[in-house]
Amino acid sequence: MAYTPTQENTARADVRRSHQSGRPGVKVVYDRGWREPINRIEESVRIAVIDEAHKLGVWAAVHTSRNEEIIAATAAGADTIEQGALEPLSQQAIDAMKDADVTLIPTLAVIEGIAPKLLPTVQQNVRMAKAAGVQV
């Protein structure tokens, strides 16, 4: 199910319903948008979604496009970072993923298809993350 919850209790209930239907995890889009602005899920709701997923024993993936989003998502307990950063990856973001044992899933094929000019940056980010010991 894809939507933007606005309240913690509703988000938690939705994670439970998703789990009951057999889904193995949840994905949160915590991204302001790159080409066009999008509404970003509120921090307290994002944290509630991740927390509820973990209480149920399922994974929580967080879609990001900026360093600040990676850092916030790892602090909230994300299991994976989807896409990563579309800007040069900061050492702080690398350290946050490594310290939290978070897996980076860079979605290179998607980047190549929708934003090919960003592909060299994202590829370099992947190389940097791997060299630092981040799971990719």
Side-chain angles (χ1 to χ4, degrees), residues 77-119:
D79 297 299
T80 65
I81 297 296
E82 311 287 320
Q83 186 169 283
L86 300 179
E87 61 192 4
L89 195 58
S90 71
Q91 188 62 49
Q92 189 178 6
I94 291 170
D95 291 344
M97 288 186 287
K98 184 177 178 188
D99 293 348
D101 197 27
V102 168
T103 299
L104 172 63
I105 302 172
T107 64
L108 295 172
V110 174
I111 302 298
E112 184 176 30
I114 64 169
K117 290 180 181 177
L118 297 175
L119 189 59

Short mmCIF file of all heavy atoms in Angstrom, two decimals, residues 77-119:
data_model
loop_
_atom_site.label_atom_id
_atom_site.label_comp_id
_atom_site.label_asym_id
_atom_site.label_seq_id
_atom_site.Cartn_x
_atom_site.Cartn_y
_atom_site.Cartn_z
N GLY A 77 16.35 3.85 12.93
CA GLY A 77 16.37 2.40 12.96
C GLY A 77 16.11 1.70 11.65
O GLY A 77 15.79 0.51 11.62
N ALA A 78 16.24 2.40 10.53
CA ALA A 78 16.03 1.77 9.22
C ALA A 78 16.94 0.56 9.07
O ALA A 78 18.09 0.57 9.53
CB ALA A 78 16.32 2.76 8.10
N ASP A 79 16.43 -0.49 8.42
CA ASP A 79 17.24 -1.67 8.13
C ASP A 79 17.98 -1.50 6.81
O ASP A 79 19.09 -2.01 6.66
CB ASP A 79 16.35 -2.91 8.06
CG ASP A 79 15.69 -3.17 9.41
OD1 ASP A 79 16.43 -3.40 10.38
OD2 ASP A 79 14.45 -3.13 9.49
N THR A 80 17.34 -0.83 5.86
CA THR A 80 17.98 -0.56 4.57
C THR A 80 17.72 0.88 4.17
O THR A 80 16.71 1.48 4.54
CB THR A 80 17.46 -1.48 3.44
OG1 THR A 80 16.09 -1.21 3.20
CG2 THR A 80 17.64 -2.94 3.79
N ILE A 81 18.66 1.41 3.40
CA ILE A 81 18.50 2.71 2.75
C ILE A 81 18.32 2.42 1.27
O ILE A 81 19.20 1.83 0.64
CB ILE A 81 19.72 3.62 2.98
CG1 ILE A 81 19.89 3.93 4.47
CG2 ILE A 81 19.61 4.90 2.14
CD1 ILE A 81 18.76 4.72 5.10
N GLU A 82 17.19 2.81 0.72
CA GLU A 82 16.88 2.59 -0.68
C GLU A 82 17.27 3.85 -1.46
O GLU A 82 16.93 4.95 -1.06
CB GLU A 82 15.38 2.33 -0.86
CG GLU A 82 14.82 1.29 0.09
CD GLU A 82 15.22 -0.12 -0.25
OE1 GLU A 82 15.25 -0.45 -1.44
OE2 GLU A 82 15.49 -0.88 0.69
N GLN A 83 17.95 3.69 -2.51
CA GLN A 83 18.46 4.73 -3.40
C GLN A 83 19.70 5.38 -2.82
O GLN A 83 20.72 5.44 -3.46
CB GLN A 83 17.41 5.79 -3.75
CG GLN A 83 17.90 6.80 -4.79
CD GLN A 83 16.77 7.64 -5.31
OE1 GLN A 83 15.99 7.20 -6.12
NE2 GLN A 83 16.70 8.86 -4.81
N GLY A 84 19.64 5.90 -1.63
CA GLY A 84 20.81 6.54 -1.02
C GLY A 84 20.81 8.02 -1.27
O GLY A 84 19.79 8.69 -1.17
N ALA A 85 21.96 8.53 -1.62
CA ALA A 85 22.10 9.97 -1.87
C ALA A 85 22.32 10.19 -3.36
O ALA A 85 23.07 9.47 -4.00
CB ALA A 85 23.26 10.55 -1.08
N LEU A 86 21.67 11.22 -3.88
CA LEU A 86 21.88 11.63 -5.27
C LEU A 86 22.89 12.77 -5.35
O LEU A 86 23.15 13.30 -6.41
CB LEU A 86 20.55 12.04 -5.91
CG LEU A 86 19.48 10.95 -5.96
CD1 LEU A 86 18.21 11.48 -6.59
CD2 LEU A 86 19.98 9.72 -6.68
N GLU A 87 23.45 13.10 -4.22
CA GLU A 87 24.52 14.08 -4.10
C GLU A 87 25.75 13.31 -3.60
O GLU A 87 25.60 12.16 -3.18
CB GLU A 87 24.11 15.17 -3.11
CG GLU A 87 23.85 14.63 -1.70
CD GLU A 87 23.17 15.62 -0.78
OE1 GLU A 87 22.82 16.73 -1.22
OE2 GLU A 87 23.00 15.29 0.40
N PRO A 88 26.92 13.90 -3.62
CA PRO A 88 28.09 13.18 -3.10
C PRO A 88 27.84 12.73 -1.65
O PRO A 88 27.38 13.51 -0.81
CB PRO A 88 29.21 14.20 -3.19
CG PRO A 88 28.80 15.07 -4.35
CD PRO A 88 27.29 15.18 -4.22
N LEU A 89 28.12 11.47 -1.40
CA LEU A 89 27.87 10.89 -0.08
C LEU A 89 28.83 11.47 0.95
O LEU A 89 30.05 11.49 0.73
CB LEU A 89 28.05 9.37 -0.19
CG LEU A 89 27.53 8.49 0.93
CD1 LEU A 89 26.04 8.70 1.14
CD2 LEU A 89 27.81 7.03 0.61
N SER A 90 28.28 11.93 2.05
CA SER A 90 29.11 12.52 3.10
C SER A 90 29.69 11.42 4.00
O SER A 90 29.12 10.33 4.13
CB SER A 90 28.29 13.50 3.95
OG SER A 90 27.36 12.80 4.76
N GLN A 91 30.79 11.75 4.64
CA GLN A 91 31.39 10.80 5.59
C GLN A 91 30.44 10.53 6.74
O GLN A 91 30.36 9.41 7.25
CB GLN A 91 32.74 11.33 6.11
CG GLN A 91 33.50 10.30 6.93
CD GLN A 91 33.85 9.06 6.12
OE1 GLN A 91 34.38 9.15 5.02
NE2 GLN A 91 33.57 7.89 6.67
N GLN A 92 29.69 11.54 7.15
CA GLN A 92 28.72 11.37 8.24
C GLN A 92 27.64 10.35 7.85
O GLN A 92 27.26 9.50 8.66
CB GLN A 92 28.09 12.71 8.61
CG GLN A 92 27.24 12.65 9.86
CD GLN A 92 26.67 14.02 10.22
OE1 GLN A 92 26.81 14.99 9.50
NE2 GLN A 92 25.99 14.07 11.36
N ALA A 93 27.16 10.41 6.60
CA ALA A 93 26.15 9.44 6.15
C ALA A 93 26.75 8.04 6.06
O ALA A 93 26.10 7.06 6.45
CB ALA A 93 25.59 9.87 4.80
N ILE A 94 27.97 7.94 5.57
CA ILE A 94 28.65 6.64 5.51
C ILE A 94 28.79 6.06 6.92
O ILE A 94 28.47 4.89 7.17
CB ILE A 94 30.03 6.77 4.85
CG1 ILE A 94 29.88 7.08 3.35
CG2 ILE A 94 30.86 5.50 5.05
CD1 ILE A 94 31.17 7.47 2.66
N ASP A 95 29.28 6.88 7.85
CA ASP A 95 29.47 6.42 9.23
C ASP A 95 28.15 6.00 9.85
O ASP A 95 28.09 5.00 10.59
CB ASP A 95 30.13 7.51 10.07
CG ASP A 95 31.58 7.77 9.67
OD1 ASP A 95 32.17 6.93 8.95
OD2 ASP A 95 32.10 8.84 10.06
N ALA A 96 27.08 6.75 9.57
CA ALA A 96 25.77 6.42 10.14
C ALA A 96 25.31 5.04 9.66
O ALA A 96 24.84 4.22 10.46
CB ALA A 96 24.75 7.49 9.77
N MET A 97 25.45 4.78 8.36
CA MET A 97 25.03 3.47 7.83
C MET A 97 25.90 2.35 8.39
O MET A 97 25.39 1.30 8.79
CB MET A 97 25.08 3.47 6.30
CG MET A 97 24.00 4.29 5.65
SD MET A 97 23.96 4.14 3.84
CE MET A 97 25.41 5.09 3.38
N LYS A 98 27.21 2.58 8.43
CA LYS A 98 28.12 1.55 8.92
C LYS A 98 27.87 1.27 10.39
O LYS A 98 27.76 0.11 10.80
CB LYS A 98 29.56 1.97 8.69
CG LYS A 98 30.54 0.89 9.09
CD LYS A 98 31.96 1.28 8.78
CE LYS A 98 32.88 0.16 9.27
NZ LYS A 98 34.27 0.53 9.18
N ASP A 99 27.77 2.30 11.20
CA ASP A 99 27.58 2.13 12.64
C ASP A 99 26.25 1.45 12.98
O ASP A 99 26.16 0.71 13.95
CB ASP A 99 27.66 3.48 13.36
CG ASP A 99 29.06 4.09 13.31
OD1 ASP A 99 30.02 3.38 12.93
OD2 ASP A 99 29.18 5.29 13.62
N ALA A 100 25.23 1.69 12.16
CA ALA A 100 23.91 1.10 12.40
C ALA A 100 23.74 -0.24 11.68
O ALA A 100 22.67 -0.84 11.76
CB ALA A 100 22.82 2.07 11.96
N ASP A 101 24.78 -0.69 10.97
CA ASP A 101 24.73 -1.95 10.21
C ASP A 101 23.55 -1.96 9.22
O ASP A 101 22.81 -2.92 9.10
CB ASP A 101 24.64 -3.14 11.16
CG ASP A 101 25.00 -4.44 10.48
OD1 ASP A 101 25.78 -4.42 9.50
OD2 ASP A 101 24.48 -5.49 10.91
N VAL A 102 23.42 -0.84 8.53
CA VAL A 102 22.34 -0.65 7.55
C VAL A 102 22.85 -1.04 6.16
O VAL A 102 24.00 -0.74 5.82
CB VAL A 102 21.86 0.82 7.56
CG1 VAL A 102 20.96 1.14 6.40
CG2 VAL A 102 21.17 1.12 8.88
N THR A 103 22.01 -1.68 5.39
CA THR A 103 22.35 -2.05 4.02
C THR A 103 21.91 -0.94 3.06
O THR A 103 20.78 -0.47 3.15
CB THR A 103 21.67 -3.37 3.63
OG1 THR A 103 22.13 -4.40 4.51
CG2 THR A 103 21.99 -3.77 2.20
N LEU A 104 22.80 -0.56 2.16
CA LEU A 104 22.49 0.43 1.12
C LEU A 104 22.05 -0.31 -0.14
O LEU A 104 22.77 -1.18 -0.63
CB LEU A 104 23.72 1.28 0.83
CG LEU A 104 23.63 2.25 -0.36
CD1 LEU A 104 22.54 3.29 -0.13
CD2 LEU A 104 24.97 2.90 -0.62
N ILE A 105 20.88 0.04 -0.64
CA ILE A 105 20.36 -0.53 -1.89
C ILE A 105 20.25 0.64 -2.87
O ILE A 105 19.28 1.39 -2.85
CB ILE A 105 19.01 -1.22 -1.66
CG1 ILE A 105 19.18 -2.33 -0.61
CG2 ILE A 105 18.47 -1.77 -2.98
CD1 ILE A 105 17.91 -2.97 -0.15
N PRO A 106 21.25 0.82 -3.74
CA PRO A 106 21.37 2.06 -4.51
C PRO A 106 20.44 2.23 -5.71
O PRO A 106 20.43 3.30 -6.30
CB PRO A 106 22.83 2.05 -4.96
CG PRO A 106 23.22 0.62 -4.99
CD PRO A 106 22.43 -0.05 -3.90
N THR A 107 19.69 1.25 -6.11
CA THR A 107 18.75 1.34 -7.25
C THR A 107 19.38 1.97 -8.49
O THR A 107 18.83 2.88 -9.09
CB THR A 107 17.45 2.08 -6.87
OG1 THR A 107 17.74 3.44 -6.54
CG2 THR A 107 16.73 1.43 -5.71
N LEU A 108 20.54 1.44 -8.87
CA LEU A 108 21.29 2.01 -9.99
C LEU A 108 20.52 2.00 -11.31
O LEU A 108 20.60 2.95 -12.09
CB LEU A 108 22.61 1.28 -10.16
CG LEU A 108 23.59 1.43 -8.99
CD1 LEU A 108 24.79 0.50 -9.17
CD2 LEU A 108 24.02 2.86 -8.82
N ALA A 109 19.75 0.95 -11.56
CA ALA A 109 18.99 0.88 -12.82
C ALA A 109 17.94 1.98 -12.88
O ALA A 109 17.70 2.56 -13.95
CB ALA A 109 18.33 -0.49 -12.98
N VAL A 110 17.32 2.28 -11.75
CA VAL A 110 16.32 3.35 -11.70
C VAL A 110 16.98 4.69 -11.97
O VAL A 110 16.49 5.50 -12.76
CB VAL A 110 15.57 3.37 -10.35
CG1 VAL A 110 14.64 4.56 -10.26
CG2 VAL A 110 14.80 2.06 -10.16
N ILE A 111 18.11 4.93 -11.31
CA ILE A 111 18.85 6.19 -11.51
C ILE A 111 19.24 6.33 -12.98
O ILE A 111 19.07 7.39 -13.58
CB ILE A 111 20.12 6.24 -10.63
CG1 ILE A 111 19.79 6.09 -9.16
CG2 ILE A 111 20.91 7.51 -10.90
CD1 ILE A 111 18.93 7.15 -8.57
N GLU A 112 19.75 5.25 -13.56
CA GLU A 112 20.16 5.30 -14.96
C GLU A 112 18.98 5.64 -15.86
O GLU A 112 19.12 6.38 -16.84
CB GLU A 112 20.76 3.96 -15.37
CG GLU A 112 21.30 3.96 -16.77
CD GLU A 112 21.98 2.65 -17.13
OE1 GLU A 112 21.58 1.60 -16.59
OE2 GLU A 112 22.91 2.69 -17.93
N GLY A 113 17.80 5.14 -15.51
CA GLY A 113 16.62 5.38 -16.34
C GLY A 113 16.01 6.76 -16.19
O GLY A 113 15.56 7.35 -17.17
N ILE A 114 15.99 7.29 -14.96
CA ILE A 114 15.29 8.56 -14.75
C ILE A 114 16.21 9.76 -14.59
O ILE A 114 15.79 10.89 -14.79
CB ILE A 114 14.31 8.50 -13.54
CG1 ILE A 114 15.07 8.27 -12.24
CG2 ILE A 114 13.25 7.44 -13.76
CD1 ILE A 114 14.23 8.46 -11.01
N ALA A 115 17.45 9.52 -14.19
CA ALA A 115 18.38 10.64 -13.98
C ALA A 115 19.80 10.22 -14.33
O ALA A 115 20.69 10.18 -13.48
CB ALA A 115 18.30 11.10 -12.52
N PRO A 116 20.04 9.90 -15.60
CA PRO A 116 21.35 9.36 -15.99
C PRO A 116 22.52 10.29 -15.67
O PRO A 116 23.63 9.81 -15.46
CB PRO A 116 21.22 9.11 -17.49
CG PRO A 116 20.02 9.87 -17.94
CD PRO A 116 19.13 10.02 -16.74
N LYS A 117 22.29 11.58 -15.61
CA LYS A 117 23.39 12.51 -15.28
C LYS A 117 23.89 12.30 -13.84
O LYS A 117 25.01 12.66 -13.52
CB LYS A 117 22.94 13.95 -15.46
CG LYS A 117 22.74 14.34 -16.91
CD LYS A 117 22.31 15.77 -17.04
CE LYS A 117 22.08 16.14 -18.50
NZ LYS A 117 21.60 17.50 -18.67
N LEU A 118 23.01 11.73 -12.99
CA LEU A 118 23.39 11.50 -11.59
C LEU A 118 24.08 10.16 -11.37
O LEU A 118 24.62 9.92 -10.30
CB LEU A 118 22.14 11.58 -10.70
CG LEU A 118 21.45 12.94 -10.66
CD1 LEU A 118 20.17 12.85 -9.85
CD2 LEU A 118 22.38 14.00 -10.09
N LEU A 119 24.05 9.30 -12.39
CA LEU A 119 24.60 7.95 -12.23
C LEU A 119 26.06 7.94 -11.80
O LEU A 119 26.41 7.19 -10.87
CB LEU A 119 24.39 7.13 -13.50
CG LEU A 119 24.72 5.65 -13.39
CD1 LEU A 119 23.90 4.97 -12.31
CD2 LEU A 119 24.51 4.97 -14.74
#
